[in-house]
Amino acid sequence: MEKQFRGIILFNIELNGNLNGVYTNNLTPNAEIYTETAKLKDDTLVENGTEVHIYDSFYFDAVEGRVDCTLTFRITNGIYIAEWRLLGNEKTLFIGEGFLMNNRQIAISYWLA
């Protein structure tokens, strides 16, 4: 049976709106922790009652090294839907779902798109 890819990331929300996160997933060797940094790209947009936050982001991967992407949050009724798209070809890498925690952190469970 093939192992389904799953991960979790915890972002700290900085005072300027940028994010610093730590993540791991079930394919990470020895359950290592990696980092992601996301710079708020635009002001919050509202589309049909959904808040949209867009970030220029990069994370470090055990195999690929630094990966540059766009991170988008769509927030409806307190639920954060996350999407990571690879820069250049705009391929969706991961999607996820999570919640704001204590007004200073965002916890997201994610999987392959």
Side-chain angles (χ1 to χ4, degrees):
M1 183 160 122
E2 185 178 331
K3 186 185 265 189
Q4 183 181 8
F5 178 88
R6 300 288 295 178
I8 191 160
I9 185 163
L10 180 64
F11 287 108
N12 288 322
I13 304 169
E14 304 301 328
L15 294 176
N16 57 8
N18 296 336
L19 306 173
N20 283 305
V22 292
Y23 74 91
T24 193
N25 57 60
N26 62 327
L27 299 183
T28 302
N30 303 316
E32 291 181 29
I33 301 292
Y34 292 95
T35 61
E36 179 171 349
T37 300
K39 182 176 186 239
L40 189 59
K41 186 174 179 178
D42 296 314
D43 291 330
T44 300
L45 306 169
V46 177
E47 297 175 350
N48 300 321
T50 297
E51 281 186 43
V52 180
H53 301 251
I54 301 171
Y55 301 85
D56 286 327
S57 180
F58 65 91
Y59 63 89
F60 291 96
D61 180 80
V63 176
E64 301 294 324
R66 180 181 166 140
V67 178
D68 294 308
C69 57
T70 299
L71 170 61
T72 303
F73 288 145
R74 288 182 172 75
I75 309 160
T76 305
N77 297 325
I79 298 173
Y80 282 61
I81 303 298
E83 179 181 50
W84 288 261
R85 288 183 173 266
L86 190 60
L87 283 184
N89 67 8
E90 293 301 308
K91 175 186 173 195
T92 300
L93 299 169
F94 308 105
I95 53 176
E97 183 176 84
F99 297 94
L100 179 67
M101 313 273 296
N102 68 30
N103 293 320
R104 300 304 313 153
Q105 294 180 310
I106 302 166
I108 302 285
S109 173
Y110 66 93
W111 51 92
L112 289 174

